[in-house]
C-alpha cells in the first residue's frame, strides 16, 4: 500500500495574498460626508431658521443707526442716508446705564449662583435620599412648574414689604432663586449618574455631603453649566418683578431703567432700537462664549426621551 503525498506550494514573503485586508474602523475617516438629499434639506431648513432669527436683530441694529426722522418712512430701507450713533448717545445720556448694567450683572450672577446651589441640593435629595413624604413633596415642586409667576406677584410683594427688602438687591434676587423647572432637570440628570460611584465613596468613608461635592458635582458640570446659563439669561431679561420691587433709580436693573428712559422721550424708534441692542448685547456675548456648554447640558439632561 503506497501513500500519495500532495505537493504543497511554497509560500514566500513576496507572495501577494489572495484576499485584500479588511478595512479598519478608521479607513473612511478622511472622507468628506456625502451631500444626500436629506442632508441638503436639513441644511436648507437650518439656514431658513437662522435667517428668521437674525433678520429682526439686524433690523433693530440698522434702525438704531438711522437718523430719527428716517425711522418712520413707509419705504423699506435697511440703511439710512447716513450712519449715526446719535440714538446710542442720547440713550446713554438719558439714564445711568453704567449703574444699571452693574446692577443687572450683580443680580444675575448672585441669582444664578444661588439657584444652581439650591436646585442642585434639592434635586440630589429627591433623587438619592429616601424620607417620609418624598413623593408628595416632589409632586408639589413639579406642580410649581404649572403655576404662572404672575399669580405669585402679590404675595411676594407683600412679603418683601414686610421684610423691608423693597428697593434692595435681595428683594429682587430671593424670589427668583427657587425654580422648580431647574430642580426637575437636575433630578432627571442625577438619576442617570451610576450609583456604584457613590457607593465606592461611601465604602471609603465619605459622607453624603462629601459625596455630593466630590463625586456628583464634578460629573454634573455640563448640566450645571446649562442651568447656570439659562438662569442668567432669564434673570437678565426679567422685567416685571424688578419693575415692581424697585422704585429707586440706583437699584433698577437695565431693562427697567431703559423702559423708564423710553417713557421720557416717547416713541422715538431709533432710540428704542438702540436701547434694545444695548440690553441684548450681553446675552449675545454669553451665548456666543458658552453655546457649547448649553448644547452639552441639554443633551445630558435626560429629557430627550421624555
Amino acid at each position: 500500500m503506497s501513500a500519495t503525498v500532495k505537493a504543497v506550494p511554497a509560500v514566500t514573503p513576496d507572495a501577494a495574498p489572495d484576499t485584500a485586508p479588511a478595512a479598519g474602523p478608521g479607513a473612511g475617516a478622511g472622507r468628506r460626508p456625502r451631500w444626500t438629499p436629506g442632508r441638503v434639506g436639513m441644511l436648507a431648513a437650518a439656514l431658513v431658521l437662522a435667517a428668521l432669527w437674525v433678520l429682526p436683530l439686524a433690523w433693530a441694529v440698522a434702525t438704531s443707526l438711522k437718523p430719527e426722522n428716517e425711522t418712520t418712512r413707509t419705504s423699506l430701507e435697511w440703511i439710512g442716508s447716513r450712519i449715526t450713533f446719535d440714538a446710542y448717545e442720547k440713550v446713554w445720556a438719558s439714564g445711568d446705564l453704567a449703574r444699571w448694567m452693574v446692577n443687572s450683572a450683580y443680580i444675575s450672577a448672585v441669582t444664578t449662583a444661588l439657584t444652581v446651589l439650591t436646585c442642585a441640593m434639592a434635586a440630589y435629595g429627591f433623587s438619592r435620599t429616601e424620607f417620609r413624604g418624598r413623593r408628595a413633596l416632589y409632586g408639589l415642586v413639579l406642580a410649581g412648574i404649572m403655576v404662572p409667576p404672575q399669580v405669585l406677584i402679590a404675595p411676594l410683594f407683600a412679603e418683601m414689604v414686610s421684610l423691608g427688602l423693597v428697593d434692595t438687591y435681595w428683594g429682587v434676587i430671593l424670589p427668583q432663586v427657587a425654580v422648580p423647572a431647574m430642580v426637575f432637570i437636575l433630578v432627571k440628570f442625577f438619576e442617570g449618574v451610576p450609583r456604584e460611584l457613590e457607593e465606592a465613596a461611601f465604602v471609603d468613608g465619605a459622607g453624603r455631603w462629601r459625596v455630593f461635592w466630590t463625586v456628583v458635582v464634578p460629573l454634573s458640570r455640563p448640566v450645571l453649566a446649562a442651568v447656570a446659563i439659562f438662569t442668567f439669561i432669564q434673570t437678565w431679561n426679567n422685567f416685571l418683578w424688578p419693575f415692581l420691587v424697585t422704585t429707586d433709580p440706583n437699584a433698577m436693573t437695565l431693562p427697567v431703567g431703559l423702559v423708564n428712559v423710553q417713557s421720557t422721550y416717547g416713541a422715538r424708534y431709533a432710540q428704542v432700537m438702540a436701547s434694545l441692542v444695548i440690553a441684548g448685547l450681553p446675552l449675545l456675548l454669553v451665548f456666543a462664549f458658552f453655546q457649547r456648554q448649553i448644547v452639552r447640558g441639554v443633551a445630558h439632561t435626560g429629557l430627550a426621551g421624555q
Side-chain angles (χ1 to χ4, degrees), residues 3-272:
T4 60
V5 180
K6 295 183 179 180
V8 179
V11 179
T12 62
D14 297 335
D18 295 338
T19 58
R31 296 181 180 179
R32 295 181 179 180
R34 297 179 58 186
W35 288 99
T36 60
R39 186 182 295 273
V40 173
M42 292 178 61
L43 178 60
L47 292 176
V48 171
L49 293 176
L52 292 176
W53 185 85
V54 171
L55 280 177
L57 177 62
W59 179 254
V61 174
T63 304
S64 66
L65 298 176
K66 292 180 182 179
E68 189 62 49
N69 57 354
E70 297 182 10
T71 59
T72 55
R73 289 181 178 178
T74 55
S75 58
L76 182 61
E77 297 178 355
W78 280 88
I79 302 176
S81 59
R82 61 187 178 90
I83 296 178
T84 176
F85 293 91
D86 292 342
Y88 292 92
E89 295 177 358
K90 292 179 180 178
V91 169
W92 191 270
S94 299
D96 195 356
L97 262 70
R99 186 175 185 84
W100 295 339
M101 282 187 175
V102 172
N103 292 343
S104 291
Y106 177 79
I107 290 173
S108 299
V110 175
T111 302
T112 300
L114 292 178
T115 299
V116 172
L117 178 63
T118 56
C119 292
M121 290 191 296
Y124 182 71
F126 284 127
S127 62
R128 284 295 190 266
T129 60
E130 295 291 340
F131 55 90
R132 182 175 299 178
R134 170 180 168 273
R135 293 181 178 272
L137 185 58
Y138 184 53
L140 185 63
V141 172
L142 295 183
I145 300 177
M146 299 179 287
V147 178
Q150 293 79 4
V151 176
L152 304 176
I153 285 178
L156 283 176
F157 184 77
E159 185 177 1
M160 294 300 106
V161 171
S162 63
L163 295 175
L165 296 179
V166 176
D167 282 332
T168 63
Y169 288 149
W170 290 110
V172 181
I173 293 172
L174 291 178
Q176 302 184 77
V177 169
V179 185
M182 300 306 176
V183 175
F184 174 70
I185 291 174
L186 291 172
V187 166
K188 301 301 293 183
F189 181 86
F190 289 156
E191 289 178 349
V193 175
R195 293 179 180 267
E196 290 78 8
L197 300 176
E198 300 176 60
E199 293 173 355
F202 288 140
V203 170
D204 292 338
R208 178 71 68 179
W209 186 252
R210 186 177 179 182
V211 168
F212 173 73
W213 284 109
T214 61
V215 178
V216 178
V217 170
L219 293 174
S220 307
R221 287 177 182 175
V223 67
L224 292 177
V227 168
I229 294 171
F230 292 150
T231 303
F232 185 89
I233 293 174
Q234 181 180 0
T235 306
W236 183 280
N237 285 331
N238 193 1
F239 167 76
L240 183 58
W241 177 249
F243 176 75
L244 294 174
V245 80
T246 57
T247 56
D248 184 5
N250 294 326
M252 290 180 178
T253 59
L254 185 60
V256 177
L258 289 175
V259 168
N260 289 334
V261 170
Q262 293 173 16
S263 63
T264 60
Y265 52 71
R268 298 184 180 179
Y269 296 105
Q271 297 182 29
V272 171

